[in-house]
Amino acid sequence: MTEQDHLQVYTLTLTTRGPLHIGSGQKTPRKEYILNPEKGTVSFLKEQAFFDLLIQNRLVELFEGFCMRRGGDLYAFLYRECGLDDEQIAPVIRYQVSTGGTLDADHSLKDIHRFIRNPQGVAYIPGSSIKGALRSALLYQMIAGQDPRRRQANVARLMDMPMDKRNEKNLVLPEESYLHVLELEAKKPSNAVNSLMRGIQVSDSEQVPDRMMTLTMKQDGSRAGEIHAINLCRECIAPGTAIRFRLTLDQSILKNRITAQTILEAINAFAAYYRQTYEKHFASPYGLSDPGTRNLLHLGGGSGFFATSLAYPYFGEEQGLDFVSRYLSRNFRGHHHEQDQALGISPHTLKYGKHGQTMYVAGACEVSIT
């Protein structure tokens, strides 16, 4: 039997049930994109070509004045003040996406947090984002199947740790207890060479066409189902988009401890825990689209702290609430997380995104493996 005989190759398909944002870290200010109110599109610019256009049409000083103004939008400046037309502006546009009904030039122009794109400027999802979410689901399944008494010593140690000694690493589970089982580096059990995750490879996604991209405003939902719009606009993959990845399971490493079936079972188990432990505290806001319950992952920016941290299943609900509320109140001052214990859940908001007239759970995605 050759090494290739151990490789199981699948297509993993992610179907967005809400707007999905994987951030590039780039932010485009409100005066550096063109919002076309008639077409409902936002166009991002080729910076050098745009400045060449200004120079060629002797508009540099006028543009400097525009930048110094309070308010104003680039569409009105270029088309109305400068008298340029579509034919002149088209060569400076890098790409455009739907506004999703998010922006209004008269009232709500915002800086836009951009989606990750490859060097050719095409949107995609890194395989590492999916692998990280699968890791969380698999770890949850392993924790849930373990005798709770075996965790008490570590839990007590972390809960007794002074707050000034706690940091982000303390919210990461002792992964070697669950995944680092290969014993290839016995002296350093925390070394990733020992991790079962070495046997799981997820490719970057297929390209996501711009017609499937949209803008979404961040929305926070209270326990009563009230929505608080946050002044933050994200470039997202639109709800209902199917994105494919190549999933490879190397059974020479995994030894059938992790299979396509067990991955789906772990996803479903983690999603059920999310609903029963966190989501149950929140009334649904008006107009919410139900993402369903089948094979559901919560991914990307805006999916919320609970979807990415395993503190609750590791510590248990009561100690998890204490640990998370203390951690968040220390790291996000002014967000009133010190009140979370009285509310019975931390964080005390659920994350949504609005697309058109419909509200969605941010980052909700359905997974299939074929």
Side-chain angles (χ1 to χ4, degrees), residues 228-268:
H228 177 55
I230 307 299
N231 190 27
L232 196 158
C233 183
R234 293 183 171 119
E235 182 184 10
C236 296
I237 299 176
T241 303
I243 310 116
R244 283 175 287 277
F245 305 77
R246 185 178 65 256
L247 170 67
T248 303
L249 303 181
D250 185 347
Q251 295 301 346
S252 69
I253 295 173
L254 299 175
K255 308 297 184 185
N256 289 314
R257 286 174 285 195
I258 297 176
T259 66
Q261 182 60 35
T262 62
I263 288 174
L264 291 176
E265 290 171 357
I267 290 172
N268 276 314

Side-chain angles (χ1 to χ4, degrees), residues 26-159:
Q26 181 183 4
K27 183 168 66 175
T28 299
R30 54 182 291 171
K31 290 190 176 184
E32 295 182 15
Y33 59 80
I34 300 173
L35 168 64
N36 188 319
E38 297 177 0
K39 296 181 180 179
T41 59
V42 158
S43 297
F44 297 97
L45 305 176
K46 302 174 184 175
E47 291 82 359
Q48 188 57 56
F50 175 66
F51 285 109
D52 290 343
L53 175 68
L54 297 177
I55 293 169
Q56 292 164 7
N57 290 275
R58 300 181 180 180
L59 297 171
V60 174
E61 289 188 14
L62 197 59
F63 180 69
E64 289 174 348
F66 164 75
C67 291
M68 296 296 292
R69 294 181 210 161
R70 186 174 182 176
D73 73 280
L74 191 56
Y75 177 87
F77 171 75
L78 294 175
Y79 283 87
R80 296 169 190 164
E81 289 189 46
C82 299
L84 300 177
D85 57 28
D86 287 345
E87 185 176 351
Q88 293 170 291
I89 293 175
V92 309
I93 293 176
R94 188 178 301 279
Y95 68 90
Q96 67 179 24
V97 301
S98 168
T99 65
T102 294
L103 297 179
D104 177 339
D106 295 325
H107 305 102
S108 61
L109 287 185
K110 317 288 183 188
D111 296 349
I112 298 174
H113 294 248
R114 303 277 288 273
F115 199 93
I116 190 168
R117 290 175 177 263
N118 65 21
Q120 291 71 45
V122 180
Y124 76 104
I125 300 176
S128 57
S129 296
I130 306 303
K131 186 171 179 178
L134 296 182
R135 169 192 166 278
S136 294
L138 288 165
L139 276 170
Y140 168 75
Q141 185 83 316
M142 293 172 182
I143 294 167
Q146 185 185 44
D147 184 342
R149 291 173 295 182
R150 296 184 60 186
R151 300 197 303 272
Q152 291 308 304
N154 281 335
V155 168
R157 179 178 59 82
L158 288 175
M159 295 304 292

